Amino acid sequence: MTVTALTSTEEDPAPTSVTMAKALNRALHDSLAEDENVVVYGEDVGRLGGVFRVTDGLQAEFGTERVWDSPLAESGIVGTAVGMAMAGMRPVVEMQFDAYAYPAFEQIVSQVAKMRNRTKGRVSLPITIRIPCAGDIGGVEHHSDSSEAYWCATPGLTVVTPSNPADAYSMLRESIASDDPVIFMEPKSRYWMKDQLSLPVTTAPMGRAQVVRAGNDVSLLAYGSTVRTALAAAEVGAEHGLSVEVVDLRSLSPFDDATVSASVRKTSRAAVIHEAAQFGGFGAEVAARVTERNFVHLAAPILRITGFDTPYPPPKLEEHYLPTPERVLDAIETWDWEL
Amino acid sequence: MSIDVPTTGRALPELQPVRFIGANGQPADTDTAGLTPPSLSTLLGLYRQMVHVRRFEAQVTALTKQGRLATYPSAAGQEATEVGATTALGPTDWLFPTYRDSAALLTRGVPVAEILAAFRGDWHCGFNPYEYHISPAATPLATQTLHATGYAMASKLKRRGECTLTFFGDGASSEGDAHEALNFASVWQTPTVFVLQNNQYAISTPLRAQSNATMFADRAAGYGIPGIRVDGNDVAAVFAAVSAALERARDGEGPTLIECLTYRIESHTNSDDPTRYRDSAEVDHWKQLDPIDRVEKYLRSHGALDDVGNEEILASAEVLAASVRDAMNTDSELDPTEIFAHVYANPRTHLREQQAILEAELAEAGRR
Ligand SMILES: Cc1ncc(C[n+]2csc(CCOP(=O)(O)OP(=O)(O)O)c2C)c(N)n1
Ligand SMILES: [Mg+2]
C-alpha cells in the first residue's frame, strides 16, 4: 500500500490530548484516505457519525459512496460485507452495540470466519467488524454485553480490543489492512479516555500482548476496559508493598502465549480480569493455557476476576457487578502468599 | 415538507406464471409480460444442457446410493430453472448458489470433480470461485443472498458492470437474510437478480406451511422492486425473465425478484424419504409437467431437432455420465494436515503446534 500525500502522513507537530473515540475516527479516516477499497457503513454511521461519534465527519469528507447509513439489519450489514470483500473491497462495518451484533452471528460464524478455509485460501475476507463492547456506561439492558468469548471460540476470526487511544488507532489501522476478518471490540467506557498523543502512531503489532506496568509479585492479565482496572489495582497494591505487573492482552485471538508466559514465569502468580461472565468465559481459556505452559512455575492457581454469572445488571447495580480494583486485590489476597 | 415516495415496483405481478412453452410443447397462450422468448438455436442449447444436467443428477444420485458420495441434493425436475437462469448470465456476472444448484455449476463449466468435492467429503468448496465467478455453494439458508447483494454493491460502487444472481428456495425465503437481502438490494439499487426456486418443499415442509402469501413474487412490491412469477419448468420463460432482469440490472435499474414455480422430483437428499410427506400422485402430476419433454417437443415441432440430433445429445450426456463415474470412482488424495492450511491469512503459532500433533500421529500410523 502506498502512502501518498494524504492526511494520514501529515504528522501532528506536538502531542495533543486525544480520546479513544477520536483516535478510532482518525484511523478510519486515514484508512479511507489511503485505500480506495475501504468503505465504512452501518447504522447511523453517516450523517450522524455513529451513536458514539466514532465515524464523525467521515461521510462529509469521503462522500456517500465511501461512508453510508445502511438499512437497520446486522446480518444484512455483515452479509453484504462478505460479498463486498469477495469483490475486493475492505469493508469496515459497525455493530451499534455488542448485543446488537447477535443478529449477525450466523454470518460472522458460518460465513466470515470460514470463507477462507472452505475455499482453500482462495477467497479472503478482509472485513473489520467494529463492536462497541462492555459496560460501565449506565446503559440499559442489552447495551453492556461482553461477547468476546463467542468470537474467540470461532476459528477463523481475529479478535482484538484496544485499551487506550494509541492502540485504538494503530490496531484499527492494522485490522483494516489485515487479510483476515477482524472483530474489533471497542470498550465503550473508554471512548472518552484521553492520552497525550500525536497521530498517526504505530504501536506494537496487533497480535502482541504488552506489559504496561512492570512488577514482580503478580501478573494481572487484562484487556479492553479492565486494563485500567488492573492498573488502578497495581497502584493500590504498590502502596501496600505489592509489586504488580499488568499485561494488556490487546489481542485475544491470536493469543500471545510468549509474552504472557514470560510475565507469569517471572511473577509465578496470575489473575485474569474481564467484565464478561466467568463460566465459559475468555478467562477460562487464559487460565488453562497459562497453566498448561507454566505449571511448574506457578505458586498459586490462576484466578479469574470477572463479572458474575448473571446477565448484565441494570445501570444502578452495575458497579456491583464490574470487577473493581478492590475486588482484584481481595482476590489475590486469598492466595497463600507463604508459598 | 413532502415525503419522498419511491413508486417503482408497486404493481403486483400476474398470478398466472409467465410461460412460453406449455406442458405438451405447444406455444402457451398466457400473458408473457412483455418478455422476449429465446431463439430456437438458444433453446436448442438450453435443451441440450438440461438433458446433460438430468443425466448428471441421475448419475450422482446413483453413485451416492452406492456410497461414493456422502450426501446429494438433486435438482431433478428443476432443470429449466437451473439451466435457464444460469445460461442467461454474462461471463463476468457472478452466481451465488445453494447446495441444490450443482446443475448451475455444471452449466457454468465447473469440472465435475470440483462440483462434487463437497458432497464427496473432500473439502467444503472444491472450485476456485474467481475462476468461475461462483461463490461457494451456501448451506446456511439464504446467507448467500446477502453475499450476492454485497458483491453487486461493490460492482456498482466500482462501476464494473458485473451483475449477481442468487438462487434461494421457498424454505429459505422465510429466513431473515432473504428479507434483508431483498431490502438492502432495493435500497442500494444493486444489480442483483433474486431467483426464488419455489419447488414447493423445504425438506418435508410444504409451501403452505412456509408462507401464506398468495405468491412469493408479490413480496417484491413490498421491497419496491419488480417481481415476476414464471413457470419454472419452462426454460424459455426462465431464460427470458432472467435475461430481462439482468438487462435492467446492467442499466442501473436495480434488483428483480423472480419466482420460478417448479417441483423437486427427487427426495430432498438421498437420505430423505419423501413418501412420508407426499403421495406419488402429486409427483406423477408434476412429472407430466416435465421441463425437458416439453422443450424437446417444441423443438421437434419447430424443425429444430430431429432423431439424429437428439441421439447425439443423449450420447453426449452419456459421455458426461461416464466422466462423473470416473471422477467419483477415483479415490481422492487428501492431506489431513490441510485442515490447518487455510484458516488464517496470518499464520498462528498454536495451529502450528496442533498440526505437529497430527503430523506425529500420521507418522506413527505410517501415513507420512
Ligand atoms: C439456517 C439453516 N437452517 C436449516 C437448515 C437445514 N436445511 C437444509 S435444506 C433445508 C430446506 C430448504 O428448503 P428450500 O429453501 O425450499 O430449498 P430446497 O431444499 O427445496 O432446494 C433445511 C431446513 C440449513 N441448511 N440452514
Ligand atoms: Mg424448496
Side-chain angles (χ1 to χ4, degrees), chain B residues 125-145:
Chain B
C125 172
F127 58 92
N128 180 352
Y130 292 105
E131 193 172 343
Y132 307 100
H133 290 210
I134 303 175
S135 81
T139 316
L141 295 169
T143 52
Q144 78 285 358
T145 60

Side-chain angles (χ1 to χ4, degrees), chain B residues 40-41 44 295-307 309:
Chain B
L40 275 178
S41 70
L44 184 61
V295 189
E296 183 186 345
K297 286 179 183 148
Y298 184 90
L299 288 169
R300 283 180 185 270
S301 68
H302 285 75
L305 182 72
D306 57 15
D307 285 345

Side-chain angles (χ1 to χ4, degrees), chain A residues 106, chain B residues 99-100 139-141 169-172 175 199 201-203 268:
Chain A
E106 185 190 28
Chain B
Y99 54 88
R100 177 78 60 209
T139 316
L141 295 169
D170 45 295
E175 292 280 0
N199 64 7
Y201 284 92
I203 308 184
H268 171 71

Side-chain angles (χ1 to χ4, degrees), chain B residues 152-231:
Chain B
M153 181 60 165
S155 166
K156 178 180 165 165
L157 290 173
K158 297 284 186 186
R159 292 164 182 82
R160 286 204 223 144
E162 299 160 278
C163 300
T164 63
L165 183 149
T166 181
F167 285 117
F168 62 122
D170 45 295
S173 81
S174 298
E175 292 280 0
D177 277 8
H179 158 69
E180 294 183 24
L182 284 158
N183 187 51
F184 274 62
S186 174
V187 173
W188 293 353
Q189 285 292 289
T190 62
T192 313
V193 182
F194 292 89
V195 177
L196 194 164
Q197 295 202 68
N198 178 1
N199 64 7
Q200 308 182 54
Y201 284 92
I203 308 184
S204 68
T205 306
L207 194 54
R208 283 302 162 217
Q210 203 66 248
S211 168
N212 197 35
T214 307
M215 58 180 183
F216 291 114
D218 283 353
R219 291 188 188 175
Y223 296 111
I225 66 173
I228 184 171
R229 178 188 239 197
V230 306
D231 181 341

Side-chain angles (χ1 to χ4, degrees), chain A residues 207 209 254-263 286 289-290 293-294, chain B residues 349-350 353:
Chain A
F255 187 82
D256 183 356
D257 287 302
T259 301
V260 172
S261 288
S263 172
V286 175
R289 33 197 327 120
V290 173
R293 284 163 178 76
N294 308 292
Chain B
T349 315
H350 76 277
E353 291 164 5

Side-chain angles (χ1 to χ4, degrees), chain A residues 37 75-76 86-87 180 253, chain B residues 130 158 160 177 180 342 345 348:
Chain A
N37 290 317
S75 191
M86 285 181 77
D180 282 318
S253 175
Chain B
Y130 292 105
K158 297 284 186 186
R160 286 204 223 144
D177 277 8
E180 294 183 24
H342 314 294
R348 292 203 174 183

